[in-house]
Amino acid sequence: MNDRPTPSAKEVVTTHSVFGAPCWVSLTSRDLPATEAFYSAVLGWRWRSAKLGDKFRIALADGAPVAGIAGVASMWQMAVAWTPYFAVASANEAVARAQERGGTTAVGPISFPPGRAALLADRDGATFGIWEGELITDWETWRRAAPAFIRLHTRDAFDAAIFYGEVLEWATTRPGCCEVHYEGDEVVLRSGGDVVARIESGALEAAPDPTIRPHWQVHFAVDDVTACARTAEQHGGSVLGKTADDAVLRDPDGAQFTVTSRRQP
């Protein structure tokens, strides 16, 4: 599916070359050891330290990077949640564009050498992050393996596509920008020809159930959805919904995510 060459060990991938595309997913956590234990049991992840400091971890599946965990929820008074991050050439400019279009800023931009990050919400309240700078080591491995997929459940997919397109410079004249396609009732985002995100309508802004309100949902590919759901419950999590091909789960800290069968096209 992806014929891009693998960078050499010394080659650094930055957000200037992949701007606008999802570049990582990260979980804010209150308790790093407990979070590590839960996701190790449910998804089989292992862990390594991150450049950002001792409150951050990189999750590994079969030795490849999958996601990040940031143990900063209590320190920064942030919600415990899975959040997708998008690559931007300038964090300051992306934040300004979001605010000009009705979005809000929760955190940042702040420096996290080797880059800068901000946590934002779109005008319907869905939370997302932006990252400017160097991407993680082995990022191309993460991109080719596609262990995580993101989908925006929002009030109006086409309105949301306009917001994100203007903030993240989708479908512009800049070489390498992401392509936006309208397929039925969905908006499909492609980067380098690969589908990297989908946006769908139908979320309700005032719904009491957070699974119905506008939000970015992070999906992880697994071999056995049923086994993941069962293990999540055995380790203090819960199952919010399940089909043969996917299950919406909640970890013990309250973060919501989806496991999706690798057999799905």
Side-chain angles (χ1 to χ4, degrees):
M1 184 175 76
N2 190 324
D3 57 0
R4 283 183 290 272
T6 303
S8 67
K10 295 183 179 180
E11 187 175 346
V12 175
V13 180
T14 75
T15 58
H16 291 276
S17 62
V18 295
F19 71 94
C23 62
W24 195 234
V25 293
S26 182
L27 171 65
T28 48
S29 166
R30 294 188 185 93
D31 186 333
L32 269 180
T35 298
E36 290 179 6
F38 175 82
Y39 287 95
S40 292
V42 175
L43 298 175
W45 289 350
R46 297 296 177 261
W47 306 90
R48 76 177 187 211
S49 59
K51 294 180 181 178
L52 300 178
D54 59 5
K55 291 187 179 295
F56 298 84
R57 298 286 189 275
I58 303 296
L60 305 173
D62 299 323
V66 180
I69 307 293
V72 297
S74 298
M75 180 174 64
W76 291 351
Q77 297 184 336
M78 296 170 62
V80 173
W82 278 103
T83 304
Y85 280 77
F86 294 84
V88 296
S90 168
N92 285 347
E93 291 178 8
V95 167
R97 288 194 295 268
Q99 291 174 336
E100 289 167 359
R101 289 157 177 81
T104 56
T105 304
V107 178
I110 53 178
S111 294
F112 281 114
R116 302 178 73 233
L119 190 64
L120 309 173
D122 65 25
R123 51 193 172 211
D124 285 324
T127 301
F128 66 103
I130 56 170
W131 174 259
E132 169 198 346
E134 294 181 14
L135 301 179
I136 66 158
T137 304
D138 299 331
W139 180 80
E140 280 284 358
T141 301
W142 177 82
R143 181 172 186 165
R144 290 195 311 275
F149 180 81
I150 60 172
R151 182 186 295 270
L152 175 61
H153 301 270
T154 190
R155 176 185 55 81
D156 184 324
F158 305 109
D159 181 71
I162 292 171
F163 172 85
Y164 285 96
E166 293 176 344
V167 171
L168 301 173
E169 298 183 280
W170 295 347
T172 64
T173 57
R174 289 185 60 190
C177 72
C178 292
E179 302 171 359
V180 176
H181 299 266
Y182 298 91
E183 299 180 3
D185 294 331
E186 284 192 331
V187 177
V188 179
L189 183 70
R190 286 183 168 85
S191 176
D194 297 331
V195 176
V196 292
R198 293 180 184 270
I199 302 175
E200 64 178 29
S201 302
L204 303 176
E205 291 178 81
D209 184 347
T211 65
I212 298 174
R213 291 198 297 267
H215 68 283
W216 281 98
Q217 186 78 354
V218 177
H219 297 240
F220 296 106
V222 299
D223 292 323
D224 191 331
V225 168
T226 298
C228 287
R230 182 173 57 249
T231 305
E233 290 181 317
Q234 291 170 347
H235 288 78
S238 55
V239 179
L240 303 181
K242 184 178 179 300
T243 70
D245 291 316
D246 57 49
V248 181
L249 308 179
R250 182 178 286 152
D251 71 19
D253 225 6
Q256 179 183 309
F257 62 102
T258 297
V259 290
T260 302
S261 173
R262 297 185 200 277
R263 296 189 300 273
Q264 278 196 218

